[in-house]
Amino acid sequence: MDDKQYKQDLLEVFEIAQKAKGKTLRQLAGNNLDNIRYFDNKEKVKHVLQQAVFNIPLYSKMEYTFEDLQLELKPVALKRNKYGELIVKERLVLNDIYYDEIVNETFKDSKFINKNQLLLIMTYTHDYENDFLDYEINDAFIIDISRQKEFYLIINDWLAIQEKVKRGKAEELNEGFTNVLSACTKSQSRIDLKKQPYSNVLARFRSYSFNTNFLKEIISRHKNKVVYINEIFDEKEVKDNVDFKKEQIEEYLKSVIGTDISKYTESKANQKHQMAFVNFLKENNSDLYDFLKVTNFKLMHKLTDNSNLQEQITTNYELDPFEMLKDEFEESTFFQEIVIKNYLVILIEKSTNKILNFKLFNLSEQDVKNSQLVYYNTKKEIERVLNENIDEPNFTKTKDNLSISLRKSKKNEYAVYKFNDKEIKLPAYEFVINKNVIFDK
């Protein structure tokens, strides 16, 4: 296929995908719904789109969704937050990692980049209350990963994963180990152990995935009129993200302790002090700002009268009963938005708006195990509330010493949840990280 024909065919796929916007999977399938095959797993949305929108049969052996274009279809789940805004629900799982193959690959010829360089992203609204066939398509765009400024970080992440396997340490891979491209597990309930080439220790089977921060960024760019398909057709120079090591981040933050960030504060903004630091960072160290925005970091702030933490640190993540009941631990937003994050907490003095200190940490192996207990304890308690009509749940508290606990929202808000045909009203709870998790680092 010549270059002109390739571009024409790619545009045709893009235009077909655009016509799916605003329609549910059921509407897209129409009268052909009974003839559409899908497996009841995480791939079912893709399976329906592939057949209903593009009329591509569900073959068992396909290198790409669109073979002639070397283009892969990737649906991305969004969900609505408490403000009604659509946000990324979960990481984007890519192709599997085969330990005996990755050790002999270069990045350029790796299965990862050959499979995922060109992606057709189709976002849809995930809703636990609806059948998946009633999920609505929000948007569609084609993106070339190699043309993104995060590409340098992605290459470094792939090399870091490869190096772990080459050293016979594949069992040490985890999703918090890298910045943008992760080695994720597909299911907590199905733990497959595989051989690795340079060790007798069995390692969990893993797949590549893009983290939620990176997905948020590329979707945000698209909404801000970045036309990715034009990037594919028009050669242009891309400025790569700078890769920051932990020591470099710490060195910079030490240099700004004592800085007054009052002039960056927007008085009416939510979390105005955190926004003040973000604005300060954007103006004074744009490279670090860009790095934190797309990598596996969670940037937060804490107001204090001195440089010590007096209480827990909020995760800015509220309890979602639907998620707790439906998702397993490692597949949940809880896991991706709390457990595997690298936390950067900026301590700001209330009276002066000066940067007093910072805490840079992530959850230890024991903290992760404790978090899993909290997750499943919370799931059981929600089930008890549903079955016994309890008004005051007995969720994990700080005194339980399980690294993460729940507390009522300081605004004393309530939320109404519908389970099947039953409604329950619960106080709004948020997850917090106990201060001993930070001080023990």
Side-chain angles (χ1 to χ4, degrees):
M1 185 187 303
D2 61 35
D3 187 55
K4 183 178 179 180
Q5 183 64 51
Y6 176 80
K7 291 178 178 178
Q8 183 177 327
D9 291 349
L10 203 62
L11 275 171
E12 184 179 346
V13 170
F14 172 74
E15 289 167 356
I16 292 171
Q18 285 283 300
K19 292 177 182 178
K21 290 163 58 174
K23 297 177 182 177
T24 66
L25 297 179
R26 194 183 305 278
Q27 290 170 333
L28 291 168
N31 296 330
N32 198 37
L33 182 59
D34 291 340
N35 298 320
I36 289 178
R37 296 172 53 234
Y38 57 86
F39 299 106
D40 190 17
N41 57 28
K42 289 280 189 179
E43 293 283 286
K44 59 189 177 184
V45 172
K46 176 183 176 181
H47 295 163
V48 174
L49 285 173
Q50 177 178 318
Q51 296 165 84
V53 178
F54 303 103
N55 197 28
I56 299 174
L58 192 62
Y59 296 127
S60 59
K61 293 184 179 180
M62 292 178 63
E63 188 66 27
Y64 306 92
T65 312
F66 305 88
E67 289 283 3
D68 293 342
L69 301 175
Q70 296 186 342
L71 172 67
E72 185 66 10
L73 169 63
K74 283 295 179 183
V76 172
L78 308 179
K79 69 173 186 177
R80 293 198 180 276
N81 62 16
K82 66 179 182 180
Y83 305 109
E85 302 164 332
L86 282 174
I87 59 173
V88 175
K89 177 183 178 291
E90 58 196 9
R91 66 205 166 189
L92 178 59
V93 178
L94 306 166
N95 57 311
D96 296 333
I97 302 172
Y98 293 99
Y99 300 134
D100 57 339
E101 293 182 357
I102 189 175
V103 293
N104 296 313
E105 292 178 329
T106 63
F107 181 81
K108 187 177 180 180
D109 66 14
S110 69
K111 283 192 172 180
F112 162 74
I113 192 57
N114 285 313
K115 179 79 170 179
N116 303 297
Q117 179 170 334
L118 204 59
L119 300 176
L120 169 57
I121 303 291
M122 296 187 72
T123 60
Y124 65 93
T125 305
H126 181 283
D127 189 338
Y128 288 108
E129 295 185 77
N130 290 339
D131 183 273
F132 90 98
L133 289 170
D134 296 313
Y135 293 168
E136 182 179 308
I137 303 303
N138 300 107
D139 205 352
F141 55 90
I142 296 176
I143 183 171
D144 184 341
I145 296 301
S146 70
R147 300 289 183 91
Q148 309 312 304
K149 63 181 182 179
E150 295 83 8
F151 190 53
Y152 176 66
L153 299 178
I154 291 169
I155 294 174
N156 285 352
D157 287 342
W158 184 89
L159 291 171
I161 293 169
Q162 183 194 53
E163 182 62 20
K164 276 283 188 186
V165 184
K166 281 185 173 181
R167 290 173 52 210
K169 299 291 184 182
E171 75 279 5
E172 294 182 1
L173 289 171
N174 61 70
E175 291 185 64
F177 169 64
T178 44
N179 290 313
V180 175
L181 179 69
S182 301
C184 76
T185 55
K186 280 193 172 180
S187 174
Q188 173 68 13
S189 59
R190 179 171 173 247
I191 300 179
D192 292 329
L193 296 178
K194 302 292 183 182
K195 291 182 179 179
Q196 53 176 313
Y198 300 119
S199 172
N200 293 324
V201 178
L202 297 178
R204 291 189 67 178
F205 186 65
R206 292 181 178 272
S207 301
Y208 298 108
S209 67
F210 287 135
N211 72 31
T212 55
N213 283 2
F214 175 61
L215 294 178
K216 292 172 189 174
E217 179 62 16
I218 61 173
I219 291 171
S220 174
R221 285 183 203 151
H222 179 59
K223 286 181 178 178
N224 290 325
K225 309 302 181 185
V226 172
V227 185
Y228 286 115
I229 199 162
N230 287 349
E231 293 185 343
I232 297 167
F233 295 158
D234 301 328
E235 292 290 339
K236 70 171 190 175
E237 189 173 337
V238 178
K239 179 187 175 184
D240 291 328
N241 276 90
V242 176
D243 189 3
F244 283 84
K245 305 304 179 188
K246 182 179 178 180
E247 296 76 16
Q248 293 172 294
I249 298 174
E250 290 177 335
E251 184 179 352
Y252 174 74
L253 292 175
K254 287 176 183 176
S255 73
V256 299
I257 289 177
T259 302
D260 183 349
I261 57 174
S262 298
K263 72 174 185 177
Y264 299 94
T265 304
E266 299 174 20
S267 59
K268 294 183 180 180
N270 290 329
Q271 296 187 322
K272 61 182 181 180
H273 292 90
Q274 179 163 319
M275 287 305 301
F277 178 78
V278 168
N279 292 334
F280 165 78
L281 192 61
K282 192 186 300 185
E283 181 176 309
N284 292 278
N285 194 334
S286 60
D287 287 339
L288 179 55
Y289 168 80
D290 288 341
F291 175 81
L292 294 175
K293 186 167 59 171
V294 298
T295 55
N296 216 28
F297 276 83
K298 199 173 184 76
L299 177 61
M300 310 169 74
H301 82 285
K302 184 70 179 174
L303 294 179
T304 180
D305 293 319
N306 52 62
S307 60
N308 294 317
L309 294 176
Q310 301 299 318
E311 54 186 33
Q312 310 102 318
I313 291 292
T314 181
T315 63
N316 291 331
Y317 185 75
E318 292 194 351
L319 170 66
D320 184 340
F322 285 111
E323 177 192 68
M324 290 290 173
L325 291 177
K326 300 289 186 180
D327 290 345
E328 296 300 325
F329 177 63
E330 290 188 3
E331 296 175 343
S332 68
T333 313
F334 172 91
F335 181 78
Q336 294 164 61
E337 290 298 319
I338 295 179
V339 178
I340 63 172
K341 290 295 186 183
N342 296 307
Y343 286 85
L344 175 53
V345 183
I346 306 299
L347 305 181
I348 301 172
E349 190 171 37
K350 291 179 184 177
S351 57
T352 64
N353 282 331
K354 288 184 177 180
I355 300 172
L356 283 179
N357 210 334
F358 66 92
K359 295 288 183 180
L360 183 58
F361 68 95
N362 51 20
L363 300 189
S364 68
E365 186 176 339
Q366 185 58 53
D367 292 331
V368 173
K369 290 178 181 178
N370 290 344
S371 301
Q372 186 171 1
L373 278 175
V374 172
Y375 187 83
Y376 286 109
N377 287 346
T378 305
K379 182 193 287 271
K380 289 179 182 177
E381 187 61 16
I382 293 170
E383 291 171 344
R384 191 172 75 91
V385 168
L386 283 173
N387 293 329
E388 301 178 18
N389 295 318
I390 297 167
D391 295 327
E392 196 70 26
N394 184 24
F395 291 134
T396 303
K397 300 176 177 61
T398 304
K399 65 181 181 181
D400 296 324
N401 199 28
L402 285 176
S403 306
I404 289 177
S405 55
L406 290 97
R407 71 182 180 193
K408 290 182 182 178
S409 169
K410 291 183 177 180
K411 297 178 182 178
N412 294 318
E413 296 174 336
Y414 278 79
V416 176
Y417 301 97
K418 295 181 180 180
F419 294 91
N420 299 322
D421 295 325
K422 182 178 181 181
E423 284 190 359
I424 62 168
K425 185 177 181 181
L426 288 176
Y429 282 87
E430 60 185 357
F431 290 95
V432 295
I433 300 177
N434 299 343
K435 63 180 183 179
N436 62 305
V437 171
I438 305 166
F439 289 126
D440 288 346
K441 303 301 176 189

